[in-house]
Amino acid sequence: MEWEVPSMEVLLRSPIACFIGFSASRIGYTGTIDDLICTWVHPLRLQAKAAASKEDNPTWWQAMNGPFLAEYWQAACVEVETLEEMDAWDVVEREPEMNVLPSTWAFKCKRFPDGLIKKFKARFCARGNKQIEGIDYFETFAPVVQWITIRLMLILECLLGSVSKQGNVTCAFLHAHLPEYERVYVEMPLGFKQYNKQGTAKVLKLKRTLYGLKQSPRAFWKFVTEKLVNCGMAQSDLDPCLFVSNSIICVVYVDDLLFW
């Protein structure tokens, strides 16, 4: 049977309507149930309010010349300060033999389901599409957990009555370090460029894997594997993203982790 978005009339007649009304009353809502469902609950209305738009994902120039200039600039400052505190790079002079990757800003205006602004996010990224194999990247493969492993663990959860917990690694790729033999150079971020006395822009020699690099997913997977093994969890021979100890089981899907 194909699922369809319920109409307003169907929602108002459904058993869940009274529970929506009860919940709204407890937090002080004084309008009618019709207005409540129409404005705050109906999925089509929520989708329209929260849908991503070009305005919510501006370029650097759009962000710095738009109505939220101050908010996006503050988000960019926080991003650069965070990366510098993590010792993500060294600022070096540009040399002719360097393959210097372009950099870019990824801005995002995050919203609540009702469309109200939640926060402004800025992420400094490298243009990995300009990398050259054998020069600034080598291996890129990073496994993710097999779906059969997820299904098996969910079945065991039901049979054993165990409890699962989900976790997400914040700024995941930035936790991993680049190996010494991978020398990756990136242009300094717009708004934060530094120049030498000759007026030539300096560049960043990366120590950590920025978002956008081809090797970042693999480097992070190796980082997570090392940390879990150090915590006493054995990596499974059946699935490289399944880790087991005497009391805990963990599966890894990029930067999302499930524990039992």
Side-chain angles (χ1 to χ4, degrees), residues 86 121 123 168-177 208-211 216-217 219-221 223-224 253-257:
M86 296 178 71
K121 174 71 177 177
R123 175 156 284 159
N168 178 269
V169 183
T170 304
C171 299
F173 291 171
L174 301 177
H175 290 280
H177 287 81
R208 293 179 181 264
T209 52
L210 285 186
Y211 280 83
S216 290
F220 176 69
W221 172 70
F223 168 82
V224 169
Y253 189 95
V254 190
D255 60 349
D256 290 300
L257 291 83

Side-chain angles (χ1 to χ4, degrees), residues 79-211:
E79 173 75 353
V80 171
E81 289 171 4
T82 301
L83 291 171
E84 289 180 338
E85 288 174 1
M86 296 178 71
D87 195 26
W89 55 58
D90 286 327
V91 179
V92 298
E93 297 287 345
R94 185 168 189 150
E95 302 294 341
E97 68 274 9
M98 293 177 177
N99 178 44
V100 181
L101 305 176
S103 61
T104 186
W105 280 105
F107 290 110
K108 175 71 175 179
C109 174
K110 294 191 173 183
R111 297 181 180 272
F112 291 105
D114 59 7
L116 297 177
I117 294 175
K118 181 179 181 181
K119 64 182 290 189
F120 292 88
K121 174 71 177 177
R123 175 156 284 159
F124 177 60
C125 306
R127 288 277 302 279
N129 61 310
K130 299 295 184 180
Q131 287 183 265
I132 301 174
E133 185 175 3
I135 300 296
D136 45 26
Y137 83 94
F138 297 88
E139 294 185 80
T140 60
F141 173 74
V144 295
V145 66
Q146 302 175 59
W147 285 115
I148 190 170
T149 303
I150 295 290
R151 296 188 188 102
L152 174 62
M153 291 308 306
L154 293 176
I155 291 170
L156 289 176
E157 179 178 346
C158 294
L159 294 176
L160 301 176
S162 58
V163 177
S164 61
K165 296 289 184 181
Q166 185 268 342
N168 178 269
V169 183
T170 304
C171 299
F173 291 171
L174 301 177
H175 290 280
H177 287 81
L178 282 169
E180 281 295 323
Y181 61 84
E182 290 188 9
R183 297 189 177 183
V184 183
Y185 300 95
V186 179
E187 290 179 350
M188 296 195 72
L190 284 172
F192 301 87
K193 289 183 180 291
Q194 299 178 23
Y195 298 86
N196 60 19
K197 294 180 179 179
Q198 289 72 40
T200 303
K202 296 183 179 182
V203 298
L204 304 175
K205 182 180 184 294
L206 298 185
K207 296 181 180 180
R208 293 179 181 264
T209 52
L210 285 186
Y211 280 83

Side-chain angles (χ1 to χ4, degrees), residues 28-47:
Y29 181 78
T30 57
T32 66
I33 187 68
D34 299 54
D35 290 338
L36 175 67
I37 291 179
C38 177
T39 307
W40 300 99
V41 178
H42 195 271
L44 288 180
R45 185 64 179 267
L46 290 178
Q47 184 180 12

